[in-house]
């Protein structure tokens, strides 16, 4: 490894055999800051909770010793924190991808209706387990994940068909997405009114987005989806960078723009729906995380990997905060409280720009 | 850049002479359009190497469509486009991008992107995805910025620049792409006259470097001064083509543009000058 000459202030050029990278000081500092937040909040999350445990007992339990209760409590905390990190990363990465493909900061999977479309299928399984059992002959719980991802993909396909008129257009996709989102939410509401009271209550709680019910198996399988997804982003990074200049310029630079856009969109949908399958539609994380990453890492366009890192930190912070309130809230309520004003801020800013 | 420098580069005389060499870019019976709307109705055009060819015509005549079809941003519904004898439809995207660059009309870069970032993107077709840079890429991008006069702006964000500076940065990107053929779709749109002339002086420089340039221009006066060959389009067809002095005359302007104008040789350099008479 040899450090090459710096080509711009604050940039180091690094070569490792055939691989040549640019490392920006800003990105290094931002990565360290995000890691610091992650480790700090993870510590808080492990040490605090409904049941007060002294620090030394937590450490003992983490080492695999201590009483059964201690191990159970700390195990639950660890699992919940892991769920926040993996789900946050998947959502943050997903949002950066959709925002890049559409070149629109407002286009995240929750605003495009992908998350809502995924929810339709999840709620369908939750409120009509008899239908699922009758049609497939398997216990409903075992298909929630697959059904949710399928719902997300179907929604994305619908979005693409409806917004594809003589070429892919990011702005049209956003408009169609807002319509599809409304439609999907209406279907969810309709399903809830037709449901038994008890299952409707379960589905309703899931719909807010909560890390409460995430099991270890679910988190691990989401990790198995998210990890290759993040690796794919590394391979895609160069092409996505060209795509940020617009699909036509990207094609002029030798990028298969259409294929890259559809590939990135499918990846984003799988990540967002898989995350939704585990914790429900946690609002605004996919939307806000890439925008924070964009500013913190000072990149030209929302960065998928940095978006994942910020998403992980963001959801962990939000959940730890939501749990520490006098009345613990589902994390989705908190992310909405933070995300909605940010959406308004971005919307008014972009309005001003198009007018000015 | 003085006007005389432009004349010194000396456009080769008598375009259209049969040289026996393949034209760098050729449209053969090209039909193209958007959805059901047919725009190009059978265009035949052979672009001559090392010249500035400018496509002019009234709004909606298909000049941008022709340029986009030549650059494979649009697939023809009939006919085909050849790049140095190879059909562009059969070329791999990267190979096409190493031989031809096309700058669309009014491109937009993301907020905060610097001139250097943009220009280095021009190296995209020359490198694999895992190599973000090489000393050669850095050198070529630097030279591109120097020859387009944006080297001093390298670390400035594009959104902070004036329209003319920004357009020169985009052209620097296509220069860094190092293609023999460069297509520019209305490179002077939204620029005031001084900046438009700046950009067109740059186009002359591209020619001096031996590149073949095809551009679309709205301003007939500028087209007359800066082109070796003018292609006049109307209703999706080529109406006339030739050196500006031969093609641009009052009859053609009335016929194609519905414009009453005087056309006379500039007393200083004898290039055709277009002055609309209007209803004054």
């Amino acid at each position: 490894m040899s450090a090459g000459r710096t080509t711009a202030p604050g940039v180091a050029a690094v070569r490792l055999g055939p691989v040549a990278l640019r490392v920006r000081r800003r990105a290094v500092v931002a990565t360290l800051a995000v890691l610091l937040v992650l480790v700090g909040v993870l510590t808080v999350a492990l040490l605090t909770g409904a049941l007060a445990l002294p620090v030394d007992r937590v450490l003992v339990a983490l080492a695999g010793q201590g009483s059964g209760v201690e191990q159970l409590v700390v195990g639950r905390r660890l699992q919940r924190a892991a769920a926040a990190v993996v789900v946050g990363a998947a959502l943050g990465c997903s949002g950066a991808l959709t925002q890049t493909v559409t070149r629109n900061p407002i286009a995240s999977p929750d605003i495009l209706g992908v998350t809502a479309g995924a929810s339709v299928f999840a709620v369908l399984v939750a409120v009509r387990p008899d239908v699922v059992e009758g049609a497939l002959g398997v216990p409903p719980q075992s298909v929630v994940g697959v059904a949710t991802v399928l719902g997300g993909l179907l929604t994305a396909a619908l979005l693409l068909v409806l917004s594809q008129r003589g070429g892919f257009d990011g702005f049209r996709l956003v408009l169609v997405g807002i319509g599809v989102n409304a439609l999907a939410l209406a279907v969810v509401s309709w399903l809830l009114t037709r449901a038994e009271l008890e299952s409707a209550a379960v589905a309703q709680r899931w719909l807010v987005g909560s890390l409460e019910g995430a099991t270890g198996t679910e988190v691990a399988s989401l990790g198995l989806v998210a990890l290759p997804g993040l690796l794919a982003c590394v391979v895609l990074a160069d092409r996505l960078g060209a795509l940020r200049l617009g699909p036509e310029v990207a094609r002029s630079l030798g990028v298969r723009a259409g294929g890259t856009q559809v590939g990135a969109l499918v990846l984003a949908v799988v990540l967002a729906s898989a995350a939704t399958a585990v914790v429900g539609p946690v609002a605004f994380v996919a939307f806000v995380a890439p925008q924070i990453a964009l500013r913190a890492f000072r990149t030209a366009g929302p960065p998928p990997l940095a978006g994942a890192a910020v998403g992980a930190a963001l959801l962990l912070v939000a959940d730890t905060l939501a749990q520490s309130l006098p009345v613990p809230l589902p994390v989705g309520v908190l992310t909405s409280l933070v995300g909605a004003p940010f959406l308004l801020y971005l919307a008014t800013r972009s309005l001003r720009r198009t007018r000015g | 850049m003085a006007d005389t420098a432009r004349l010194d580069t000396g456009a080769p005389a008598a375009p259209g002479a049969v040289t026996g060499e393949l034209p760098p870019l050729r449209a053969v019976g090209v039909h193209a359009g958007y959805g059901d709307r047919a725009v190009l109705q059978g265009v035949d055009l052979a672009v001559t190497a090392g010249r500035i060819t400018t496509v002019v015509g009234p709004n909606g005549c298909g000049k941008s469509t022709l340029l986009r079809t030549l650059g494979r941003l649009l697939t023809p519904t009939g006919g085909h486009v050849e790049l140095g004898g190879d059909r562009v439809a059969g070329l791999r995207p990267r190979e096409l991008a190493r031989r031809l660059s096309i700058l669309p009309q009014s491109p937009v870069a993301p907020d905060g992107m610097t001139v250097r970032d943009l220009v280095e993107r021009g190296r995209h077709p020359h490198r694999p995805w895992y190599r973000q840079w090489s000393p050669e890429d850095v050198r070529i991008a630097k030279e591109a910025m120097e020859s387009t006069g944006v080297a001093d702006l390298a670390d400035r964000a594009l959104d902070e620049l004036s329209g003319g500076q920004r357009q020169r940065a985009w052209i620097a990107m296509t220069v860094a792409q190092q293609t023999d053929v460069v297509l520019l779709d209305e490179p002077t749109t939204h620029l005031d006259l001084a900046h438009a002339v700046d950009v067109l002086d740059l186009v002359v420089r591209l020619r001096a470097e031996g590149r073949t340039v095809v551009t679309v221009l709205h301003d007939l006066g500028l087209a007359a001064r800066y082109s070796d060959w003018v292609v006049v389009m109307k209703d999706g067809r080529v109406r006339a083509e030739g050196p500006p002095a031969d093609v641009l005359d009052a009859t053609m302007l009335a016929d194609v543009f519905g414009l009453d104008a005087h056309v006379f040789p500039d007393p200083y350099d004898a290039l055709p000058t277009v002055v609309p008479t209007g209803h004054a």
Side-chain angles (χ1 to χ4, degrees):
Chain A
M1 182 172 139
S2 71
R5 60 183 165 147
T6 303
T7 54
V11 182
V14 179
R15 293 183 95 171
L16 280 158
V19 180
L21 298 173
R22 283 251 163 79
V23 183
R24 294 178 309 119
R25 194 192 304 143
R26 177 78 181 194
V28 173
V29 172
T31 308
L32 288 177
V34 172
L35 281 180
L36 207 66
V37 171
L38 262 178
V39 171
V41 181
L42 192 64
T43 313
V44 173
L46 288 179
L47 293 182
T48 58
L51 189 73
L53 279 183
V55 178
D56 58 322
R57 296 317 297 167
V58 171
L59 291 176
V60 166
L62 275 178
Q65 283 144 6
S67 73
V69 175
E70 284 165 355
Q71 285 207 27
L72 192 72
V73 169
V74 173
R76 282 294 304 160
R77 287 178 188 172
L78 196 62
Q79 189 178 304
R80 184 167 181 143
V85 168
V86 179
V87 167
L91 289 177
C93 179
S94 169
L97 288 171
T98 51
Q99 290 173 358
T100 299
V101 164
T102 56
R103 301 216 292 160
N104 192 327
I106 287 171
S108 67
D110 29 2
I111 287 154
L112 289 179
V114 170
T115 325
S119 304
V120 169
F121 276 56
V123 170
L124 189 66
V125 175
V127 303
R128 300 303 301 271
D130 48 318
V131 176
V132 176
E133 189 131 33
L136 300 173
V138 289
Q141 277 72 29
S142 66
V143 295
V144 172
V146 176
T148 313
V149 174
L150 198 69
L153 284 174
L154 280 176
T155 314
L158 183 70
L159 274 174
L160 281 177
V161 168
L162 290 180
S163 61
Q164 197 100 27
R165 246 184 36 207
F168 185 91
D169 177 342
F171 189 64
R172 197 158 46 209
L173 188 78
V174 173
L175 290 182
V176 171
I178 289 168
V180 168
N181 191 35
L183 198 70
L185 290 179
V187 174
V188 167
S189 301
W190 177 74
L191 283 174
L192 288 180
T193 61
R194 312 287 297 172
E196 301 288 333
L197 207 54
E198 199 178 318
S199 53
V202 171
Q204 190 74 60
R205 192 163 172 69
W206 179 85
L207 279 170
V208 178
S210 166
L211 296 168
E212 192 70 50
T215 69
T217 331
E218 284 172 339
V219 174
S221 23
L222 178 60
L224 285 180
V225 174
L227 205 61
L230 293 179
L231 288 178
C233 288
V234 175
V235 178
L236 278 176
D238 201 29
R239 272 170 270 181
L240 290 176
L243 215 48
R244 293 205 171 103
L245 304 174
E248 298 212 321
V249 174
R251 285 173 67 189
S252 163
L253 291 172
V255 174
R256 287 178 207 274
T260 308
Q261 283 174 319
V262 171
L265 208 57
V266 168
L267 182 57
V269 168
V270 169
L271 285 173
S273 344
T276 304
V278 175
V279 296
V282 180
F284 290 112
V285 173
F287 161 63
V288 174
Q291 291 297 317
I292 294 177
L294 164 80
R295 286 160 178 78
F297 288 73
R298 215 174 275 163
T299 52
L305 292 183
V310 171
L314 192 67
L315 197 57
L316 187 61
V317 170
D319 189 52
T320 310
L321 216 78
Q323 273 184 282
S324 67
L325 294 174
V327 183
L329 285 178
V331 68
V333 174
L334 201 74
T335 56
S336 295
L337 283 177
V338 178
F342 190 69
L343 174 64
L344 290 177
Y345 159 73
L346 269 189
T348 49
R349 216 180 56 129
S350 74
L351 264 185
R352 216 177 303 138
R353 181 172 307 172
T354 44
R355 280 205 201 138
Chain B
M1 274 175 253
D3 265 12
T4 46
R6 190 175 71 244
L7 293 170
D8 287 346
T9 57
V18 182
T19 57
E21 265 182 56
L22 283 170
L25 190 61
R26 192 156 79 109
V28 182
V30 165
H31 290 254
Y34 305 93
D36 296 335
R37 196 164 61 89
V39 179
L40 299 183
Q41 324 256 5
V43 172
D44 290 290
L45 181 70
V47 175
T48 314
R51 301 239 172 96
I52 299 172
T53 302
T54 301
V55 186
V56 299
N59 287 336
C61 70
K63 36 187 202 304
S64 279
T65 308
L66 174 60
L67 205 73
R68 290 161 47 84
T69 312
L70 289 174
R72 209 175 74 173
L73 291 181
L74 198 64
T75 312
T77 50
H80 66 267
V81 174
E82 284 172 15
L83 183 66
D86 299 321
R87 292 199 178 197
V88 294
L91 292 177
R92 297 172 55 80
R94 267 170 189 275
E95 158 142 47
L96 179 65
R98 285 195 285 258
R99 295 169 62 180
L100 175 148
S101 56
I102 173 165
L103 190 60
Q105 202 177 325
S106 315
V108 181
D111 283 357
M113 185 174 216
T114 64
V115 171
R116 190 197 304 275
D117 286 345
L118 179 71
V119 176
E120 286 183 349
R121 279 279 162 214
R123 300 304 297 156
H124 187 99
H126 299 275
R127 62 176 195 214
W129 62 267
Y130 49 81
R131 205 187 75 204
Q132 289 185 354
W133 66 280
S134 74
E136 196 199 1
D137 290 338
V138 171
R139 179 181 56 79
I140 292 169
K142 192 162 163 273
E143 284 169 7
M145 287 190 279
E146 280 161 4
S147 75
T148 50
V150 293
D152 293 342
L153 309 170
D155 295 308
R156 295 268 301 276
L158 282 156
D159 38 305
E160 295 170 4
L161 304 183
S162 76
Q165 291 171 327
R166 205 178 300 139
Q167 187 64 357
R168 278 190 286 148
W170 280 99
I171 293 176
M173 183 193 81
T174 67
V175 169
Q177 207 174 327
Q178 288 196 315
T179 58
D180 288 336
V181 180
V182 178
L183 311 184
L184 304 170
D185 193 357
E186 298 203 20
T188 59
T189 309
H190 304 313
L191 299 184
D192 60 38
L193 191 55
H195 285 117
V197 166
D198 251 11
V199 166
L200 290 171
D201 280 335
L202 202 53
V203 172
V204 170
R205 249 181 121 133
L206 295 179
R207 178 185 64 189
E209 289 166 9
R211 296 176 216 256
T212 305
V213 184
V214 185
T215 111
V216 167
L217 289 181
H218 256 298
D219 189 307
L220 292 170
L222 291 176
R225 322 213 109 237
Y226 281 93
S227 320
D228 303 316
W229 195 258
V230 171
V231 176
V232 183
M233 289 189 67
K234 194 188 183 186
D235 300 331
R237 290 192 175 83
V238 174
R239 268 300 182 84
E241 59 174 313
D246 299 354
V247 173
L248 298 175
D249 58 41
T251 328
M252 190 280 287
L253 293 182
D255 176 33
V256 172
F257 291 87
L259 175 75
D260 291 330
H262 298 303
V263 183
F264 51 88
D266 185 310
Y268 297 101
D269 55 18
L271 288 170
T273 304
V274 178
V275 177
T277 54
H279 304 286

